[in-house]
Amino acid sequence: LSLGEAKNLPTYPGPNKMRDCYCTVNLDQEEVFRTKIVEKSLCPFYGEDFYCEIPRTFRHLSFYIFDRDVFRRDSIIGKVAIQKEDLQKYHNRDTWFQLQHVDADSEVQGKVHLELRLSEVITDTGVVCHKLATRVLECQGLPIVNGQCDPYATVTLAGPSRQTKVKKKTNNPHFDEVFYFEVTRPSSYNKKSHFDIEDVDEVDKMEIRVDLWNASNLKFGDEFLGELRLPLKFLRQSSSYEAWYFLQPRDNGNKSLKPDDLGSLRLNVVYTEDHVFSSDYYSPLRDVLLKSADVEPVSASAAHILGEVCREKQEAAIPLVRLFLHYGRIVPFISAIANAEVKRTQDPNTIFRGNSLTSKCIDETMKLAGMHYLQVTLKPIIDEICQVHKPCEIDPVKLKDGENLENNRENLRQYVDRIFTVITKSGVSCPTVMCDIFFSLRESAAKRFQGDLDVRYTAVSSFIFLRFFAPAILSPNLFQLTPHHPDPQTSRTLTLISKTIQTLGSLSKSKSANFKESYMATFYDYFNEQKYADAVKNFLDLISSSGRRDHKSIEQPILLKEGFMIKRAQGRKRFGMKNFKKRWFRLTNHEFTYQKSKGDHPLCSIPIENILAVERLEEESFKMKNMFQVIQPERRVLYIQANNCVEAKDWIDILTKVSQCNKKRLTVYHPSAYLNGHWLCCKATADNTPGCTPCTGGLPANIQLDIDGDRETERIYSLFNLYMPKLEKMQEACGSKSVYDGPEEEEYSTFIIDDPKETYKTLKLIIEGVGNLEQEHAQYKRDKFKKTKYGSQEHPIGDKSFQTYIRQQSEISAHSI
């Protein structure tokens, strides 16, 4: 997601009229991300990106704009809600959305399982009446309102409603309660076994209504969670009916509100769903891709062709880099495409400056392989900058009252000096895979431009400084160095540091000319000394020379993740309370700890080798969502609740990843807790009973990254399939070039084709492999379509995406007939 900006927000009723706004991203009603607060604006600019794996099903992706209120609860200005099935309409397009009013009656999620039975009853006096039995079985995925959910259902049919019991602290309640309603009054008994005509009309007009409520302790009354209205006429075909239904919003009659009252929000959403087969399905396409580094010329390889046909090089780079990293082929592949690009470059000053496939692939590799390197190098000092808030503004126009320009310059100079020093002294920590790539870039550039002695440095510095360290300093939240976007003052300080570091690392001849602003040129004079240029060159020499260092450098603790979560006391004291407390958790590659608040002494430390399994915890254990468990020796378990489903998945993934190689890892675990003398899952009474369910994360760790090669191949297949017309056009271009070998035709000149015959061969293999996978997907969908029942738990009635799918399938089958 890219959250751009909001505009024309309604003015604040006070004299100031401006607002302090932030935006949240929600899956249904669960918040998974929050932007920075933009102060005193009715057109706030956020410019924040958020990427996440979606760990559960959802109906709406929603965005809420809040106005911060220091004294009371923050107020909601408006929302944008996109239905899951509509996400494709806006895929990868900047779109302005009108903000809608937020109304509790329209905020609905979850589903309900009902059984309806219409039966005839002959009374003692011999007359017939018709009764409806409504059985409310259970609900799933109800929203949590103000941190809790105590749901109950009311059932109504033309008269007073009946109510189920309240189920405390659960958003997946099991009711299993039956309510009987009289549908037709007793009429004089006749031998017809069906309704009288008048009765049928009456029945047709009737509807059964099921409302879900959250029992509230507040004086404002209970909160509405959703409703269901079912006409009884559908029971005439079958007297009994049982299905799952999506809850629906209540029609709140707010239609008169003008849609443009609340302003609008600019978003760019890229949403993908991958249906991944088992490994053998992908062998033909994967083999063609992995041979890319060995194809001569490399422009005829499958990976290069993917970069040629994709609209954005980034689209191709992400799955390619992950696939090659997974199979240990990233260095030869990047060396091959970089070498080809260097040969095509005419001016040494423009080397690797464009947004080519090479640049994007190296960026992506650095982001994946260099994340720990950034944490070790930059995180401590960036944390300090974010916490201390030293004034560093050096633009005389932007100085605040009471600030001294010379003091600010000195603060900034000290920060730049410290960051420059930690970067240039960090060569020994640079990941091997990055060093090997830099070595090949340096060799290629030096060979191509033998007269330019500096090109061996600029080829490497254009990546390590301009595209790695400088962006990480500028936007530390995008590189997991800070949890949130920094505040405006800190952001400005980081911008000034990033600009200076970028220029220091670029080794260009006239440094001051790089700055449009005179105050930056003046500030840069501090660093116009030879020692800075020498330090950069020494650093670049170290990270780009072959056999440059001892690979067994001493491993120091690397901070992997930290943040507040809620944990259940482990009951170390025999009579201690097992209550829930908020704690600051910290994970390094050595240990997992928690403390009262950030920076305190740890209250508990679990060495990584003592983590035997990390698994989700069933909600029924403590009636709490997003819980997981960290299992230690002697079956000791730490139960933890994360803030939302995305955070829970992130913690589980990273804890599993760091502990995957532990020798004593468990193969089975208990998905529920041990409470009241037994395990809730299998009812075993001994607390040391071995687990009843196989563990999910017991696979061995793969290099330094946890990548699914099949999934990346599936992504590449999807891209090839999407751009099939371009592949066919490229194939046509190869044919025309090989036959005539004449001047390039205008319509084909967009492709790089160095060797038409080789390129044609590769294209033929790609098109064949993609065609076979497409058939497999189509067959899988047909089989799934036959087996899936509308109204099942997986596809409740009201599931629009499934209705669309049914329509598409019936059109396909009608077309094939």
Side-chain angles (χ1 to χ4, degrees):
L1 306 170
S2 291
L3 292 129
E5 61 201 295
K7 67 179 182 187
N8 304 332
L9 298 179
T11 54
Y12 187 70
N16 183 16
K17 298 196 182 251
M18 292 294 152
R19 293 180 181 270
D20 300 341
C21 295
Y22 60 92
C23 180
T24 67
V25 180
N26 297 53
L27 292 175
D28 294 323
Q29 291 178 56
E30 183 181 11
E31 183 185 315
V32 293
F33 178 72
R34 181 177 290 209
T35 66
K36 63 185 175 189
I37 295 168
V38 177
E39 296 179 339
K40 300 184 178 62
S41 173
L42 297 178
C43 296
F45 177 79
Y46 298 108
E48 292 195 44
D49 294 338
F50 173 59
Y51 169 84
C52 78
E53 296 275 325
I54 297 180
R56 61 174 179 82
T57 55
F58 68 102
R59 287 165 71 185
H60 290 92
L61 178 65
S62 304
F63 303 83
Y64 293 80
I65 301 263
F66 284 86
D67 185 10
R68 179 184 59 176
D69 191 318
V70 180
F71 304 108
R72 297 192 299 275
R73 275 181 64 188
D74 296 352
S75 55
I76 297 180
I77 296 172
K79 72 165 181 180
V80 171
I82 309 172
Q83 288 186 337
K84 182 182 174 182
E85 51 274 13
D86 291 339
L87 284 170
Q88 281 308 110
K89 286 186 204 168
Y90 309 108
H91 180 76
N92 208 6
R93 293 207 325 248
D94 266 19
T95 310
W96 281 98
F97 293 90
Q98 289 291 346
L99 287 170
Q100 304 296 320
H101 283 270
V102 175
D103 184 330
D105 289 353
S106 69
E107 297 284 291
V108 165
Q109 66 182 66
K111 52 193 175 186
V112 59
H113 190 188
L114 290 185
E115 189 179 348
L116 302 173
R117 191 181 298 278
L118 194 59
S119 47
E120 293 179 343
V121 180
I122 301 172
T123 63
D124 296 341
T125 55
V127 291
V128 175
C129 67
H130 297 91
K131 284 201 168 172
L132 173 72
T134 304
R135 186 174 172 210
V136 184
L137 288 130
E138 60 181 311
C139 295
Q140 277 191 350
L142 298 176
I144 288 177
V145 185
N146 299 330
Q148 57 125 40
C149 190
D150 298 338
Y152 67 90
T154 60
V155 185
T156 318
L157 180 81
S161 61
R162 321 281 176 82
Q163 183 180 321
T164 64
K165 294 189 182 81
V166 174
K167 298 288 178 180
K168 289 280 188 184
K169 292 187 180 173
T170 175
N171 64 337
N172 296 326
H174 285 263
F175 296 111
D176 204 1
E177 294 185 41
V178 185
F179 303 96
Y180 294 97
F181 297 92
E182 219 170 57
V183 178
T184 57
R185 290 187 180 78
S187 56
S188 57
Y189 178 67
N190 57 31
K191 293 196 174 164
K192 284 184 184 173
S193 61
H194 293 290
F195 307 127
D196 293 335
I197 298 300
E198 295 82 7
D199 293 338
V200 173
D201 285 346
E202 286 304 308
V203 170
D204 274 5
K205 289 174 191 166
M206 294 173 104
E207 65 176 11
I208 184 94
R209 200 173 97 217
V210 180
D211 293 271
L212 262 292
W213 299 86
N214 181 33
S216 170
N217 304 324
L218 304 169
K219 57 183 180 215
F220 311 120
D222 298 348
E223 289 110 345
F224 172 77
L225 300 180
E227 71 168 20
L228 199 58
R229 291 169 179 259
L230 299 172
L232 290 194
K233 60 183 173 189
F234 76 88
L235 283 173
R236 278 165 45 204
Q237 283 88 27
S238 154
S239 61
S240 169
Y241 198 78
E242 179 250 338
W244 283 87
Y245 296 85
F246 269 141
L247 287 167
Q248 301 299 334
R250 190 158 53 183
D251 183 13
N252 51 21
N254 271 350
K255 299 284 186 278
S256 58
L257 289 162
K258 283 195 292 185
D260 55 353
D261 282 352
L262 302 173
S264 50
L265 179 65
R266 181 164 64 91
L267 302 168
N268 188 323
V269 179
V270 176
Y271 174 69
T272 53
E273 260 182 40
D274 298 321
H275 299 269
V276 185
F277 290 126
S278 56
S279 209
D280 48 330
Y281 284 86
Y282 296 107
S283 295
L285 185 60
R286 186 174 53 231
D287 293 347
V288 177
L289 287 160
L290 291 175
K291 284 179 188 149
S292 291
D294 309 321
V295 173
E296 283 285 337
V298 74
S299 60
S301 69
H304 194 278
I305 288 168
L306 182 67
E308 287 295 289
V309 295
C310 280
R311 196 177 66 168
E312 306 266 336
K313 300 284 188 225
Q314 181 82 357
E315 239 180 338
I318 292 172
L320 284 174
V321 163
R322 295 174 75 89
L323 182 75
F324 284 113
L325 268 170
H326 180 71
Y327 288 102
R329 302 278 297 142
I330 193 70
V331 177
F333 167 63
I334 286 182
S335 301
I337 57 172
N339 206 14
E341 187 178 324
V342 170
K343 281 179 185 165
R344 283 194 292 273
T345 306
Q346 299 305 316
D347 179 357
N349 293 319
T350 62
I351 198 162
F352 301 127
R353 288 299 162 96
N355 281 330
S356 62
L357 183 65
T358 310
S359 304
K360 293 295 182 190
C361 283
I362 296 174
D363 285 356
E364 199 54 37
T365 307
M366 292 192 302
K367 220 178 213 179
L368 287 167
M371 206 54 95
H372 291 171
Y373 178 37
L374 281 178
Q375 300 270 348
V376 174
T377 314
L378 295 180
K379 193 171 187 345
I381 189 163
I382 283 183
D383 280 347
E384 185 189 318
I385 293 168
C386 292
Q387 283 158 15
V388 176
H389 293 294
K390 275 188 190 172
C392 294
E393 182 54 74
I394 56 168
D395 180 354
V397 179
K398 291 183 178 173
L399 275 189
K400 290 181 184 167
D401 291 344
E403 281 186 2
N404 179 302
L405 187 60
E406 277 312 307
N407 287 352
N408 287 11
R409 271 197 193 130
E410 181 54 24
N411 289 342
L412 186 62
R413 191 190 66 74
Q414 285 179 9
Y415 277 147
V416 171
D417 238 340
R418 284 173 60 194
I419 285 186
F420 178 80
T421 305
V422 294
I423 289 173
T424 50
K425 292 262 169 70
S426 71
V428 75
S429 309
C430 185
T432 312
V433 70
M434 283 167 63
C435 296
D436 292 342
I437 288 168
F438 295 149
F439 174 66
S440 93
L441 296 183
R442 175 191 175 118
E443 294 298 294
S444 270
K447 192 173 168 187
R448 172 81 173 87
F449 300 104
Q450 291 175 6
D452 189 325
L453 296 176
D454 275 345
V455 77
R456 63 181 61 231
Y457 295 116
T458 52
V460 177
S461 72
S462 64
F463 286 104
I464 193 77
F465 280 102
L466 271 66
R467 304 173 86 118
F468 185 64
F469 284 121
I473 296 164
L474 185 66
S475 306
N477 55 310
L478 297 184
F479 292 81
Q480 294 170 21
L481 295 172
T482 57
H484 299 293
H485 199 290
D487 61 80
Q489 184 190 326
T490 308
S491 201
R492 174 68 178 155
T493 302
L494 294 173
T495 304
L496 295 170
I497 295 169
S498 178
K499 278 185 173 185
T500 317
I501 291 292
Q502 192 169 324
T503 310
L504 274 167
S506 69
L507 291 169
S508 56
K509 308 284 186 291
S510 56
K511 300 273 174 97
S512 301
N514 284 0
F515 297 109
K516 298 186 189 101
E517 310 95 338
S518 57
Y519 63 84
M520 282 302 295
T522 311
F523 174 68
Y524 196 79
D525 288 341
Y526 286 126
F527 304 97
N528 245 338
E529 293 180 39
Q530 190 56 37
K531 66 173 185 180
Y532 289 102
D534 292 344
V536 170
K537 285 184 175 178
N538 290 340
F539 169 66
L540 296 173
D541 278 334
L542 181 61
I543 63 170
S544 63
S545 57
S546 188
R548 71 227 152 265
R549 62 196 169 98
D550 175 17
H551 289 280
K552 294 173 185 164
S553 55
I554 298 149
E555 195 187 0
Q556 49 189 316
I558 297 167
L559 179 66
L560 301 173
K561 191 169 173 65
E562 60 181 345
F564 275 114
M565 291 192 286
I566 292 167
K567 62 104 199 168
R568 182 177 186 252
Q570 297 183 78
R572 286 203 193 84
K573 296 172 187 163
R574 196 164 170 198
F575 300 107
M577 292 277 287
K578 291 197 177 182
N579 52 357
F580 288 89
K581 287 182 177 165
K582 192 173 183 179
R583 293 288 180 255
W584 181 264
F585 283 83
R586 205 164 178 275
L587 174 67
T588 70
N589 54 341
H590 290 187
E591 60 181 356
F592 182 46
T593 60
Y594 62 77
Q595 50 232 54
K596 262 195 177 169
S597 44
K598 191 175 180 178
D600 288 359
H601 189 72
L603 299 170
C604 169
S605 167
I606 304 171
I608 294 298
E609 58 271 21
N610 280 3
I611 298 177
L612 307 186
V614 184
E615 297 288 347
R616 291 189 180 281
L617 186 71
E618 284 178 358
E619 209 171 298
E620 290 309 306
S621 298
F622 301 108
K623 310 281 192 210
M624 289 163 74
K625 280 175 81 73
N626 304 320
M627 286 202 72
F628 63 94
Q629 49 184 320
V630 178
I631 306 169
Q632 303 160 63
E634 295 165 18
R635 307 272 167 202
R636 282 191 54 207
V637 185
L638 175 60
Y639 296 119
I640 303 171
Q641 183 188 34
N643 300 317
N644 58 56
C645 61
V646 171
E647 275 284 288
K649 183 183 186 302
D650 284 352
W651 275 106
I652 293 168
D653 284 352
I654 198 160
L655 281 162
T656 302
K657 212 178 287 182
V658 294
S659 61
Q660 264 173 343
C661 293
N662 290 351
K663 293 189 176 74
K664 294 180 181 172
R665 272 194 73 89
L666 298 178
T667 52
V668 288
Y669 78 106
H670 290 286
S672 287
Y674 183 80
L675 293 171
N676 305 326
H678 67 272
W679 290 100
L680 298 182
C681 40
C682 58
K683 306 292 182 264
T685 50
D687 63 353
N688 60 355
T689 307
C692 56
T693 306
C695 285
T696 55
L699 300 168
N702 182 34
I703 52 168
Q704 70 271 53
L705 299 158
D706 183 24
I707 294 172
D708 182 339
D710 299 327
R711 179 172 160 181
E712 302 310 327
T713 316
E714 170 62 33
R715 282 280 339 112
I716 293 168
Y717 148 75
S718 301
L719 289 169
F720 275 138
N721 203 21
L722 178 65
Y723 295 112
M724 186 55 76
K726 279 193 174 182
L727 285 173
E728 287 164 350
K729 196 152 197 171
M730 200 172 182
Q731 202 175 28
E732 210 177 287
C734 290
S736 74
K737 280 187 78 172
S738 358
V739 175
Y740 301 111
D741 207 21
E744 278 189 21
E745 291 182 39
E746 193 58 42
E747 60 180 316
Y748 300 140
S749 60
T750 49
F751 305 121
I752 292 174
I753 301 172
D754 296 321
D755 185 331
K757 277 188 183 168
E758 276 301 313
T759 310
Y760 189 91
K761 274 190 215 166
T762 309
L763 281 161
K764 195 164 178 265
L765 290 169
I766 292 169
I767 291 167
E768 205 174 282
V770 169
N772 291 340
L773 277 168
E774 200 179 355
Q775 283 177 357
E776 294 291 353
H777 276 286
Q779 186 59 49
Y780 171 79
K781 280 182 177 172
R782 281 195 294 273
D783 293 347
K784 191 173 185 234
F785 174 66
K786 283 174 195 161
K787 290 173 196 163
T788 306
K789 182 188 163 207
Y790 189 43
S792 63
Q793 191 171 353
E794 192 184 3
H795 295 290
I797 292 171
D799 181 351
K800 289 185 183 167
S801 56
F802 187 65
Q803 285 171 305
T804 311
Y805 177 61
I806 286 176
R807 197 166 58 246
Q808 286 169 350
Q809 290 301 316
S810 55
E811 282 166 12
I812 290 165
S813 54
H815 177 69
S816 62
I817 288 163

